[in-house]
Amino acid sequence: MMAFCTISVLTAHAASDTITVRVKAMHCEHCGQKVKTALSKNPGVGPLEFNFERHTVKIAYDPQKTDVDSIYRSIAATKRYEATPYDPNEKIAETFSLRIDDMHCQKCVDRIAQQLNAIQGMDSIAADLRKHSYFIRYDANRTSQDEIRAKLVKAGYTPVYYYDNKRVEYAYYLIPAESANDDAIETVLALDGVSDVNVNARRKSMAITYLNDKTTAEKLLSEVQKAGIKAELPKPHECSEEEEKK
């Protein structure tokens, strides 16, 4: 899945103090692995917790074996990453885009805007109804992509990550409400070429972001069905005032 995430890495070291640092050039798990490798050479460093949206690492350490200055030097030794103090009040501007296939008309656009603007930390948004997409700028110290996506799911939509890339395409299926769960998401994520999946039990829907050089729309639907999910293509849809009130 092409997304920011938080991971925890445990080591065998004892630890009694913690420090959280910002590593602005750290954007993904690959970057996190390099920072982890550098810190593993410091004998007093214990568990690490990464947040790639905030570009932070929470570091547990044993003050009898190391200190804060040594931790900063360990990260600087990578020659690529530099740690600075983390300020929870700092505005950390991040952006991403969502594909929302169940956004069909201006009423949907307006309803989604209302949901997004109610989230603390939202900076700016811009919809492209033709592409069924929403560009979102937000403060990662106030909210997260997971929180934003969950808010839209609760409102009755099925957002997945959107990329302006010719290799990336999107699929949208109707599925039974009982199949709209985390197990279905994990099952479809394991399929070749799939980078993101979301479901909505209320709308009985599944949305997928996939790479077209790895799979095709026809193959993907077949594989989803073979995985035991009764997926089918939706009929052409038109929003109605009655549906918007539901």
Side-chain angles (χ1 to χ4, degrees), residues 119-153:
I119 300 173
Q120 184 181 17
M122 194 60 58
D123 187 344
S124 61
I125 58 176
D128 186 329
L129 183 56
R130 182 177 61 86
K131 295 181 178 179
H132 300 276
S133 68
Y134 244 108
F135 171 83
I136 299 168
R137 186 187 303 276
Y138 66 104
D139 180 356
N141 251 340
R142 301 290 178 270
T143 188
S144 67
Q145 294 181 17
D146 285 347
E147 181 180 348
I148 293 167
R149 284 166 59 117
K151 179 84 170 181
L152 294 182
V153 169

PDB file of all heavy atoms in Angstrom, residues 119-153:
ATOM      1  N   ILE A 119     -12.721  18.427  10.068  1.00  0.00           N
ATOM      2  CA  ILE A 119     -11.598  17.746  10.708  1.00  0.00           C
ATOM      3  C   ILE A 119     -10.569  18.768  11.181  1.00  0.00           C
ATOM      4  O   ILE A 119     -10.124  19.611  10.403  1.00  0.00           O
ATOM      5  CB  ILE A 119     -10.940  16.745   9.736  1.00  0.00           C
ATOM      6  CG1 ILE A 119     -11.949  15.693   9.289  1.00  0.00           C
ATOM      7  CG2 ILE A 119      -9.725  16.085  10.380  1.00  0.00           C
ATOM      8  CD1 ILE A 119     -11.430  14.759   8.201  1.00  0.00           C
ATOM      9  N   GLN A 120     -10.190  18.689  12.433  1.00  0.00           N
ATOM     10  CA  GLN A 120      -9.162  19.576  12.954  1.00  0.00           C
ATOM     11  C   GLN A 120      -7.842  19.318  12.233  1.00  0.00           C
ATOM     12  O   GLN A 120      -7.426  18.180  12.079  1.00  0.00           O
ATOM     13  CB  GLN A 120      -8.979  19.360  14.459  1.00  0.00           C
ATOM     14  CG  GLN A 120      -7.986  20.308  15.099  1.00  0.00           C
ATOM     15  CD  GLN A 120      -7.809  20.054  16.581  1.00  0.00           C
ATOM     16  OE1 GLN A 120      -8.180  19.004  17.090  1.00  0.00           O
ATOM     17  NE2 GLN A 120      -7.232  21.005  17.284  1.00  0.00           N
ATOM     18  N   GLY A 121      -7.192  20.381  11.806  1.00  0.00           N
ATOM     19  CA  GLY A 121      -5.917  20.229  11.116  1.00  0.00           C
ATOM     20  C   GLY A 121      -6.036  20.267   9.606  1.00  0.00           C
ATOM     21  O   GLY A 121      -5.027  20.213   8.898  1.00  0.00           O
ATOM     22  N   MET A 122      -7.255  20.359   9.089  1.00  0.00           N
ATOM     23  CA  MET A 122      -7.425  20.457   7.643  1.00  0.00           C
ATOM     24  C   MET A 122      -6.963  21.835   7.168  1.00  0.00           C
ATOM     25  O   MET A 122      -7.316  22.861   7.756  1.00  0.00           O
ATOM     26  CB  MET A 122      -8.893  20.231   7.264  1.00  0.00           C
ATOM     27  CG  MET A 122      -9.127  19.978   5.806  1.00  0.00           C
ATOM     28  SD  MET A 122      -8.266  18.519   5.188  1.00  0.00           S
ATOM     29  CE  MET A 122      -8.926  17.232   6.255  1.00  0.00           C
ATOM     30  N   ASP A 123      -6.167  21.859   6.110  1.00  0.00           N
ATOM     31  CA  ASP A 123      -5.623  23.112   5.595  1.00  0.00           C
ATOM     32  C   ASP A 123      -6.399  23.560   4.367  1.00  0.00           C
ATOM     33  O   ASP A 123      -7.048  24.600   4.371  1.00  0.00           O
ATOM     34  CB  ASP A 123      -4.138  22.934   5.276  1.00  0.00           C
ATOM     35  CG  ASP A 123      -3.458  24.235   4.892  1.00  0.00           C
ATOM     36  OD1 ASP A 123      -4.166  25.207   4.575  1.00  0.00           O
ATOM     37  OD2 ASP A 123      -2.219  24.291   4.893  1.00  0.00           O
ATOM     38  N   SER A 124      -6.347  22.770   3.297  1.00  0.00           N
ATOM     39  CA  SER A 124      -7.075  23.124   2.087  1.00  0.00           C
ATOM     40  C   SER A 124      -7.460  21.862   1.324  1.00  0.00           C
ATOM     41  O   SER A 124      -6.818  20.819   1.464  1.00  0.00           O
ATOM     42  CB  SER A 124      -6.239  24.047   1.188  1.00  0.00           C
ATOM     43  OG  SER A 124      -5.049  23.399   0.783  1.00  0.00           O
ATOM     44  N   ILE A 125      -8.512  21.956   0.526  1.00  0.00           N
ATOM     45  CA  ILE A 125      -8.990  20.825  -0.256  1.00  0.00           C
ATOM     46  C   ILE A 125      -9.392  21.309  -1.641  1.00  0.00           C
ATOM     47  O   ILE A 125      -9.747  22.478  -1.825  1.00  0.00           O
ATOM     48  CB  ILE A 125     -10.195  20.122   0.413  1.00  0.00           C
ATOM     49  CG1 ILE A 125     -11.343  21.120   0.626  1.00  0.00           C
ATOM     50  CG2 ILE A 125      -9.783  19.495   1.741  1.00  0.00           C
ATOM     51  CD1 ILE A 125     -12.614  20.492   1.191  1.00  0.00           C
ATOM     52  N   ALA A 126      -9.328  20.408  -2.617  1.00  0.00           N
ATOM     53  CA  ALA A 126      -9.748  20.747  -3.979  1.00  0.00           C
ATOM     54  C   ALA A 126     -10.266  19.491  -4.660  1.00  0.00           C
ATOM     55  O   ALA A 126      -9.577  18.468  -4.689  1.00  0.00           O
ATOM     56  CB  ALA A 126      -8.586  21.341  -4.773  1.00  0.00           C
ATOM     57  N   ALA A 127     -11.467  19.565  -5.175  1.00  0.00           N
ATOM     58  CA  ALA A 127     -12.093  18.402  -5.812  1.00  0.00           C
ATOM     59  C   ALA A 127     -11.961  18.470  -7.331  1.00  0.00           C
ATOM     60  O   ALA A 127     -11.940  19.553  -7.923  1.00  0.00           O
ATOM     61  CB  ALA A 127     -13.568  18.330  -5.434  1.00  0.00           C
ATOM     62  N   ASP A 128     -11.855  17.295  -7.942  1.00  0.00           N
ATOM     63  CA  ASP A 128     -11.912  17.160  -9.396  1.00  0.00           C
ATOM     64  C   ASP A 128     -12.964  16.093  -9.673  1.00  0.00           C
ATOM     65  O   ASP A 128     -12.688  14.899  -9.623  1.00  0.00           O
ATOM     66  CB  ASP A 128     -10.557  16.740  -9.953  1.00  0.00           C
ATOM     67  CG  ASP A 128     -10.533  16.739 -11.486  1.00  0.00           C
ATOM     68  OD1 ASP A 128     -11.594  16.482 -12.093  1.00  0.00           O
ATOM     69  OD2 ASP A 128      -9.457  16.975 -12.064  1.00  0.00           O
ATOM     70  N   LEU A 129     -14.180  16.550  -9.933  1.00  0.00           N
ATOM     71  CA  LEU A 129     -15.297  15.619 -10.103  1.00  0.00           C
ATOM     72  C   LEU A 129     -15.092  14.707 -11.298  1.00  0.00           C
ATOM     73  O   LEU A 129     -15.455  13.528 -11.260  1.00  0.00           O
ATOM     74  CB  LEU A 129     -16.599  16.408 -10.253  1.00  0.00           C
ATOM     75  CG  LEU A 129     -17.888  15.605 -10.359  1.00  0.00           C
ATOM     76  CD1 LEU A 129     -18.052  14.661  -9.173  1.00  0.00           C
ATOM     77  CD2 LEU A 129     -19.094  16.543 -10.452  1.00  0.00           C
ATOM     78  N   ARG A 130     -14.457  15.212 -12.354  1.00  0.00           N
ATOM     79  CA  ARG A 130     -14.229  14.396 -13.554  1.00  0.00           C
ATOM     80  C   ARG A 130     -13.349  13.186 -13.238  1.00  0.00           C
ATOM     81  O   ARG A 130     -13.558  12.096 -13.765  1.00  0.00           O
ATOM     82  CB  ARG A 130     -13.580  15.252 -14.649  1.00  0.00           C
ATOM     83  CG  ARG A 130     -13.334  14.526 -15.961  1.00  0.00           C
ATOM     84  CD  ARG A 130     -12.762  15.470 -17.001  1.00  0.00           C
ATOM     85  NE  ARG A 130     -11.487  16.015 -16.581  1.00  0.00           N
ATOM     86  CZ  ARG A 130     -10.320  15.402 -16.784  1.00  0.00           C
ATOM     87  NH1 ARG A 130     -10.280  14.224 -17.390  1.00  0.00           N
ATOM     88  NH2 ARG A 130      -9.204  15.962 -16.395  1.00  0.00           N
ATOM     89  N   LYS A 131     -12.354  13.391 -12.360  1.00  0.00           N
ATOM     90  CA  LYS A 131     -11.445  12.309 -11.983  1.00  0.00           C
ATOM     91  C   LYS A 131     -11.888  11.606 -10.698  1.00  0.00           C
ATOM     92  O   LYS A 131     -11.191  10.710 -10.223  1.00  0.00           O
ATOM     93  CB  LYS A 131     -10.029  12.861 -11.803  1.00  0.00           C
ATOM     94  CG  LYS A 131      -9.415  13.396 -13.083  1.00  0.00           C
ATOM     95  CD  LYS A 131      -7.995  13.899 -12.828  1.00  0.00           C
ATOM     96  CE  LYS A 131      -7.354  14.404 -14.109  1.00  0.00           C
ATOM     97  NZ  LYS A 131      -5.964  14.918 -13.874  1.00  0.00           N
ATOM     98  N   HIS A 132     -13.017  12.022 -10.140  1.00  0.00           N
ATOM     99  CA  HIS A 132     -13.502  11.462  -8.868  1.00  0.00           C
ATOM    100  C   HIS A 132     -12.419  11.561  -7.785  1.00  0.00           C
ATOM    101  O   HIS A 132     -12.209  10.635  -7.005  1.00  0.00           O
ATOM    102  CB  HIS A 132     -13.922   9.990  -9.027  1.00  0.00           C
ATOM    103  CG  HIS A 132     -15.024   9.787 -10.010  1.00  0.00           C
ATOM    104  ND1 HIS A 132     -16.356   9.923  -9.697  1.00  0.00           N
ATOM    105  CD2 HIS A 132     -14.988   9.457 -11.326  1.00  0.00           C
ATOM    106  CE1 HIS A 132     -17.103   9.686 -10.751  1.00  0.00           C
ATOM    107  NE2 HIS A 132     -16.296   9.414 -11.764  1.00  0.00           N
ATOM    108  N   SER A 133     -11.722  12.689  -7.742  1.00  0.00           N
ATOM    109  CA  SER A 133     -10.603  12.802  -6.816  1.00  0.00           C
ATOM    110  C   SER A 133     -10.705  14.049  -5.948  1.00  0.00           C
ATOM    111  O   SER A 133     -11.371  15.026  -6.309  1.00  0.00           O
ATOM    112  CB  SER A 133      -9.277  12.815  -7.576  1.00  0.00           C
ATOM    113  OG  SER A 133      -9.140  14.004  -8.330  1.00  0.00           O
ATOM    114  N   TYR A 134     -10.033  13.982  -4.816  1.00  0.00           N
ATOM    115  CA  TYR A 134      -9.930  15.111  -3.890  1.00  0.00           C
ATOM    116  C   TYR A 134      -8.468  15.270  -3.496  1.00  0.00           C
ATOM    117  O   TYR A 134      -7.838  14.323  -3.037  1.00  0.00           O
ATOM    118  CB  TYR A 134     -10.765  14.868  -2.629  1.00  0.00           C
ATOM    119  CG  TYR A 134     -11.900  15.848  -2.440  1.00  0.00           C
ATOM    120  CD1 TYR A 134     -13.226  15.462  -2.629  1.00  0.00           C
ATOM    121  CD2 TYR A 134     -11.642  17.167  -2.065  1.00  0.00           C
ATOM    122  CE1 TYR A 134     -14.270  16.358  -2.461  1.00  0.00           C
ATOM    123  CE2 TYR A 134     -12.682  18.066  -1.891  1.00  0.00           C
ATOM    124  CZ  TYR A 134     -14.000  17.667  -2.089  1.00  0.00           C
ATOM    125  OH  TYR A 134     -15.016  18.555  -1.922  1.00  0.00           O
ATOM    126  N   PHE A 135      -7.926  16.470  -3.695  1.00  0.00           N
ATOM    127  CA  PHE A 135      -6.580  16.809  -3.212  1.00  0.00           C
ATOM    128  C   PHE A 135      -6.733  17.403  -1.826  1.00  0.00           C
ATOM    129  O   PHE A 135      -7.589  18.269  -1.589  1.00  0.00           O
ATOM    130  CB  PHE A 135      -5.916  17.819  -4.152  1.00  0.00           C
ATOM    131  CG  PHE A 135      -4.628  18.374  -3.618  1.00  0.00           C
ATOM    132  CD1 PHE A 135      -3.439  17.676  -3.776  1.00  0.00           C
ATOM    133  CD2 PHE A 135      -4.603  19.598  -2.944  1.00  0.00           C
ATOM    134  CE1 PHE A 135      -2.239  18.192  -3.272  1.00  0.00           C
ATOM    135  CE2 PHE A 135      -3.419  20.117  -2.453  1.00  0.00           C
ATOM    136  CZ  PHE A 135      -2.236  19.404  -2.614  1.00  0.00           C
ATOM    137  N   ILE A 136      -5.894  16.943  -0.886  1.00  0.00           N
ATOM    138  CA  ILE A 136      -6.033  17.342   0.514  1.00  0.00           C
ATOM    139  C   ILE A 136      -4.686  17.787   1.073  1.00  0.00           C
ATOM    140  O   ILE A 136      -3.695  17.078   0.944  1.00  0.00           O
ATOM    141  CB  ILE A 136      -6.586  16.166   1.359  1.00  0.00           C
ATOM    142  CG1 ILE A 136      -7.967  15.748   0.837  1.00  0.00           C
ATOM    143  CG2 ILE A 136      -6.643  16.533   2.841  1.00  0.00           C
ATOM    144  CD1 ILE A 136      -8.459  14.437   1.399  1.00  0.00           C
ATOM    145  N   ARG A 137      -4.675  18.963   1.693  1.00  0.00           N
ATOM    146  CA  ARG A 137      -3.507  19.443   2.431  1.00  0.00           C
ATOM    147  C   ARG A 137      -3.898  19.538   3.903  1.00  0.00           C
ATOM    148  O   ARG A 137      -4.944  20.109   4.222  1.00  0.00           O
ATOM    149  CB  ARG A 137      -3.058  20.808   1.920  1.00  0.00           C
ATOM    150  CG  ARG A 137      -1.752  21.318   2.555  1.00  0.00           C
ATOM    151  CD  ARG A 137      -1.457  22.748   2.126  1.00  0.00           C
ATOM    152  NE  ARG A 137      -1.383  22.874   0.680  1.00  0.00           N
ATOM    153  CZ  ARG A 137      -0.284  22.617  -0.032  1.00  0.00           C
ATOM    154  NH1 ARG A 137       0.832  22.240   0.575  1.00  0.00           N
ATOM    155  NH2 ARG A 137      -0.299  22.743  -1.350  1.00  0.00           N
ATOM    156  N   TYR A 138      -3.077  18.974   4.772  1.00  0.00           N
ATOM    157  CA  TYR A 138      -3.446  18.901   6.186  1.00  0.00           C
ATOM    158  C   TYR A 138      -2.224  19.025   7.083  1.00  0.00           C
ATOM    159  O   TYR A 138      -1.077  18.940   6.620  1.00  0.00           O
ATOM    160  CB  TYR A 138      -4.148  17.568   6.477  1.00  0.00           C
ATOM    161  CG  TYR A 138      -3.246  16.357   6.319  1.00  0.00           C
ATOM    162  CD1 TYR A 138      -2.726  15.702   7.437  1.00  0.00           C
ATOM    163  CD2 TYR A 138      -2.891  15.874   5.061  1.00  0.00           C
ATOM    164  CE1 TYR A 138      -1.883  14.608   7.299  1.00  0.00           C
ATOM    165  CE2 TYR A 138      -2.051  14.785   4.919  1.00  0.00           C
ATOM    166  CZ  TYR A 138      -1.553  14.153   6.038  1.00  0.00           C
ATOM    167  OH  TYR A 138      -0.706  13.081   5.904  1.00  0.00           O
ATOM    168  N   ASP A 139      -2.463  19.255   8.361  1.00  0.00           N
ATOM    169  CA  ASP A 139      -1.412  19.348   9.363  1.00  0.00           C
ATOM    170  C   ASP A 139      -1.271  17.983  10.025  1.00  0.00           C
ATOM    171  O   ASP A 139      -2.161  17.535  10.744  1.00  0.00           O
ATOM    172  CB  ASP A 139      -1.782  20.415  10.400  1.00  0.00           C
ATOM    173  CG  ASP A 139      -0.740  20.580  11.499  1.00  0.00           C
ATOM    174  OD1 ASP A 139       0.246  19.817  11.509  1.00  0.00           O
ATOM    175  OD2 ASP A 139      -0.929  21.467  12.347  1.00  0.00           O
ATOM    176  N   ALA A 140      -0.147  17.325   9.785  1.00  0.00           N
ATOM    177  CA  ALA A 140       0.057  15.968  10.309  1.00  0.00           C
ATOM    178  C   ALA A 140       0.200  15.922  11.812  1.00  0.00           C
ATOM    179  O   ALA A 140       0.155  14.839  12.412  1.00  0.00           O
ATOM    180  CB  ALA A 140       1.280  15.337   9.652  1.00  0.00           C
ATOM    181  N   ASN A 141       0.357  17.075  12.453  1.00  0.00           N
ATOM    182  CA  ASN A 141       0.384  17.116  13.915  1.00  0.00           C
ATOM    183  C   ASN A 141      -1.023  17.213  14.502  1.00  0.00           C
ATOM    184  O   ASN A 141      -1.189  17.147  15.725  1.00  0.00           O
ATOM    185  CB  ASN A 141       1.231  18.298  14.416  1.00  0.00           C
ATOM    186  CG  ASN A 141       2.539  17.848  15.037  1.00  0.00           C
ATOM    187  OD1 ASN A 141       2.692  16.702  15.436  1.00  0.00           O
ATOM    188  ND2 ASN A 141       3.493  18.771  15.121  1.00  0.00           N
ATOM    189  N   ARG A 142      -2.023  17.389  13.643  1.00  0.00           N
ATOM    190  CA  ARG A 142      -3.407  17.526  14.119  1.00  0.00           C
ATOM    191  C   ARG A 142      -4.311  16.394  13.640  1.00  0.00           C
ATOM    192  O   ARG A 142      -5.322  16.087  14.259  1.00  0.00           O
ATOM    193  CB  ARG A 142      -3.985  18.866  13.656  1.00  0.00           C
ATOM    194  CG  ARG A 142      -3.211  20.086  14.139  1.00  0.00           C
ATOM    195  CD  ARG A 142      -3.364  20.307  15.638  1.00  0.00           C
ATOM    196  NE  ARG A 142      -2.563  21.452  16.090  1.00  0.00           N
ATOM    197  CZ  ARG A 142      -1.302  21.370  16.496  1.00  0.00           C
ATOM    198  NH1 ARG A 142      -0.692  20.184  16.509  1.00  0.00           N
ATOM    199  NH2 ARG A 142      -0.640  22.427  16.895  1.00  0.00           N
ATOM    200  N   THR A 143      -3.972  15.793  12.519  1.00  0.00           N
ATOM    201  CA  THR A 143      -4.794  14.705  11.991  1.00  0.00           C
ATOM    202  C   THR A 143      -3.886  13.789  11.178  1.00  0.00           C
ATOM    203  O   THR A 143      -2.679  13.966  11.121  1.00  0.00           O
ATOM    204  CB  THR A 143      -5.952  15.248  11.135  1.00  0.00           C
ATOM    205  OG1 THR A 143      -6.840  14.176  10.785  1.00  0.00           O
ATOM    206  CG2 THR A 143      -5.459  15.934   9.868  1.00  0.00           C
ATOM    207  N   SER A 144      -4.476  12.775  10.553  1.00  0.00           N
ATOM    208  CA  SER A 144      -3.697  11.804   9.778  1.00  0.00           C
ATOM    209  C   SER A 144      -4.512  11.336   8.585  1.00  0.00           C
ATOM    210  O   SER A 144      -5.737  11.515   8.528  1.00  0.00           O
ATOM    211  CB  SER A 144      -3.340  10.599  10.654  1.00  0.00           C
ATOM    212  OG  SER A 144      -4.510   9.866  10.986  1.00  0.00           O
ATOM    213  N   GLN A 145      -3.846  10.706   7.653  1.00  0.00           N
ATOM    214  CA  GLN A 145      -4.543  10.162   6.497  1.00  0.00           C
ATOM    215  C   GLN A 145      -5.539   9.091   6.915  1.00  0.00           C
ATOM    216  O   GLN A 145      -6.642   9.006   6.356  1.00  0.00           O
ATOM    217  CB  GLN A 145      -3.529   9.611   5.493  1.00  0.00           C
ATOM    218  CG  GLN A 145      -2.663  10.698   4.876  1.00  0.00           C
ATOM    219  CD  GLN A 145      -1.676  10.172   3.857  1.00  0.00           C
ATOM    220  OE1 GLN A 145      -1.816   9.062   3.366  1.00  0.00           O
ATOM    221  NE2 GLN A 145      -0.673  10.962   3.532  1.00  0.00           N
ATOM    222  N   ASP A 146      -5.178   8.263   7.886  1.00  0.00           N
ATOM    223  CA  ASP A 146      -6.098   7.235   8.360  1.00  0.00           C
ATOM    224  C   ASP A 146      -7.367   7.853   8.943  1.00  0.00           C
ATOM    225  O   ASP A 146      -8.482   7.370   8.706  1.00  0.00           O
ATOM    226  CB  ASP A 146      -5.421   6.360   9.423  1.00  0.00           C
ATOM    227  CG  ASP A 146      -4.429   5.379   8.834  1.00  0.00           C
ATOM    228  OD1 ASP A 146      -4.429   5.195   7.598  1.00  0.00           O
ATOM    229  OD2 ASP A 146      -3.640   4.799   9.602  1.00  0.00           O
ATOM    230  N   GLU A 147      -7.205   8.930   9.714  1.00  0.00           N
ATOM    231  CA  GLU A 147      -8.364   9.600  10.313  1.00  0.00           C
ATOM    232  C   GLU A 147      -9.248  10.214   9.239  1.00  0.00           C
ATOM    233  O   GLU A 147     -10.484  10.128   9.309  1.00  0.00           O
ATOM    234  CB  GLU A 147      -7.898  10.675  11.290  1.00  0.00           C
ATOM    235  CG  GLU A 147      -9.050  11.400  11.982  1.00  0.00           C
ATOM    236  CD  GLU A 147      -8.579  12.481  12.954  1.00  0.00           C
ATOM    237  OE1 GLU A 147      -7.372  12.517  13.258  1.00  0.00           O
ATOM    238  OE2 GLU A 147      -9.423  13.284  13.394  1.00  0.00           O
ATOM    239  N   ILE A 148      -8.626  10.822   8.239  1.00  0.00           N
ATOM    240  CA  ILE A 148      -9.388  11.451   7.153  1.00  0.00           C
ATOM    241  C   ILE A 148     -10.164  10.400   6.360  1.00  0.00           C
ATOM    242  O   ILE A 148     -11.356  10.568   6.065  1.00  0.00           O
ATOM    243  CB  ILE A 148      -8.434  12.235   6.232  1.00  0.00           C
ATOM    244  CG1 ILE A 148      -7.851  13.439   7.000  1.00  0.00           C
ATOM    245  CG2 ILE A 148      -9.146  12.695   4.962  1.00  0.00           C
ATOM    246  CD1 ILE A 148      -6.675  14.100   6.318  1.00  0.00           C
ATOM    247  N   ARG A 149      -9.509   9.297   6.036  1.00  0.00           N
ATOM    248  CA  ARG A 149     -10.179   8.224   5.303  1.00  0.00           C
ATOM    249  C   ARG A 149     -11.330   7.649   6.117  1.00  0.00           C
ATOM    250  O   ARG A 149     -12.423   7.394   5.584  1.00  0.00           O
ATOM    251  CB  ARG A 149      -9.178   7.128   4.937  1.00  0.00           C
ATOM    252  CG  ARG A 149      -8.267   7.490   3.780  1.00  0.00           C
ATOM    253  CD  ARG A 149      -7.083   6.552   3.645  1.00  0.00           C
ATOM    254  NE  ARG A 149      -7.451   5.169   3.456  1.00  0.00           N
ATOM    255  CZ  ARG A 149      -7.176   4.441   2.376  1.00  0.00           C
ATOM    256  NH1 ARG A 149      -6.537   5.005   1.362  1.00  0.00           N
ATOM    257  NH2 ARG A 149      -7.506   3.173   2.297  1.00  0.00           N
ATOM    258  N   ALA A 150     -11.102   7.422   7.406  1.00  0.00           N
ATOM    259  CA  ALA A 150     -12.145   6.856   8.276  1.00  0.00           C
ATOM    260  C   ALA A 150     -13.353   7.783   8.355  1.00  0.00           C
ATOM    261  O   ALA A 150     -14.505   7.322   8.393  1.00  0.00           O
ATOM    262  CB  ALA A 150     -11.572   6.595   9.659  1.00  0.00           C
ATOM    263  N   LYS A 151     -13.106   9.079   8.377  1.00  0.00           N
ATOM    264  CA  LYS A 151     -14.196  10.057   8.419  1.00  0.00           C
ATOM    265  C   LYS A 151     -15.074   9.940   7.172  1.00  0.00           C
ATOM    266  O   LYS A 151     -16.314   9.975   7.263  1.00  0.00           O
ATOM    267  CB  LYS A 151     -13.604  11.463   8.508  1.00  0.00           C
ATOM    268  CG  LYS A 151     -14.625  12.593   8.533  1.00  0.00           C
ATOM    269  CD  LYS A 151     -15.158  12.840   9.900  1.00  0.00           C
ATOM    270  CE  LYS A 151     -15.990  14.117   9.952  1.00  0.00           C
ATOM    271  NZ  LYS A 151     -16.509  14.389  11.314  1.00  0.00           N
ATOM    272  N   LEU A 152     -14.456   9.760   6.022  1.00  0.00           N
ATOM    273  CA  LEU A 152     -15.217   9.656   4.780  1.00  0.00           C
ATOM    274  C   LEU A 152     -15.949   8.326   4.677  1.00  0.00           C
ATOM    275  O   LEU A 152     -17.060   8.258   4.136  1.00  0.00           O
ATOM    276  CB  LEU A 152     -14.289   9.858   3.583  1.00  0.00           C
ATOM    277  CG  LEU A 152     -13.675  11.256   3.450  1.00  0.00           C
ATOM    278  CD1 LEU A 152     -12.820  11.351   2.196  1.00  0.00           C
ATOM    279  CD2 LEU A 152     -14.757  12.330   3.443  1.00  0.00           C
ATOM    280  N   VAL A 153     -15.338   7.263   5.178  1.00  0.00           N
ATOM    281  CA  VAL A 153     -16.020   5.961   5.193  1.00  0.00           C
ATOM    282  C   VAL A 153     -17.276   6.055   6.056  1.00  0.00           C
ATOM    283  O   VAL A 153     -18.354   5.577   5.687  1.00  0.00           O
ATOM    284  CB  VAL A 153     -15.083   4.855   5.706  1.00  0.00           C
ATOM    285  CG1 VAL A 153     -15.870   3.569   5.977  1.00  0.00           C
ATOM    286  CG2 VAL A 153     -13.982   4.580   4.686  1.00  0.00           C
TER     287      VAL A 153
END
